[in-house]
Amino acid sequence: IETTFSHTNCNKGFAQWWEVDLEEVHTIYNMKIVNRLDCCGGRLHDFNVYFLDENKNVVDSIFNKGGIGSRKSYDVEEVDARYVKIDLPDGDCLQLGEVEIYGHPSSQPFPEEA
């Protein structure tokens, strides 16, 4: 079984973060985070998720208190953002198995369900 994950340098004494550029503003309605499953899953705890506009100003945020287990889904109040940033303020390793962002380009109407 092949496993992949991403993590920052550990224990450097400053906030660790991960950020994705969606390349244009999207209306985001849901996101899912999958934790590292092979070990050390407890490191992903008490973190912030920031939704940023094109100028990297925070337009909305989520604080996740405690851990997430193997995965967690977050419903978002249809926020318009270009960047999504996950920040672990305690300086430990930020480890992510997968981050999924659900939405659509803000310039397009919401797709109708079939």
Side-chain angles (χ1 to χ4, degrees):
I1 295 174
E2 182 180 332
T3 60
T4 60
F5 61 91
S6 175
H7 73 79
T8 59
N9 287 331
C10 298
N11 302 311
K12 296 298 182 184
F14 53 87
Q16 304 290 315
W17 57 272
W18 174 91
E19 182 178 283
V20 63
D21 180 356
L22 302 174
E23 297 186 355
E24 67 179 295
V25 175
H26 281 68
T27 300
I28 300 167
Y29 58 86
N30 185 276
M31 71 176 291
K32 295 179 182 165
I33 298 176
V34 178
N35 204 354
R36 182 174 174 178
L37 302 176
D38 58 346
C39 83
C40 315
R43 289 179 171 163
L44 185 57
H45 64 87
D46 300 321
F47 59 90
N48 298 295
V49 178
Y50 297 109
F51 301 93
L52 311 168
D53 66 14
E54 291 181 314
N55 298 314
K56 293 202 171 183
N57 296 309
V58 176
V59 294
D60 201 358
S61 65
I62 298 169
F63 177 69
N64 186 95
K65 179 144 180 73
I68 69 164
S70 62
R71 67 184 66 234
K72 190 164 184 179
S73 179
Y74 302 88
D75 288 325
V76 181
E77 296 283 332
E78 293 193 11
V79 61
D80 290 332
R82 176 172 172 171
Y83 303 92
V84 178
K85 182 176 183 177
I86 299 173
D87 174 83
L88 183 65
D90 73 357
D92 199 353
C93 301
L94 173 59
Q95 301 179 141
L96 301 167
E98 187 172 306
V99 177
E100 300 173 12
I101 309 294
Y102 295 92
H104 60 90
S106 295
S107 60
Q108 299 175 10
F110 187 78
E112 295 295 325
E113 292 186 28

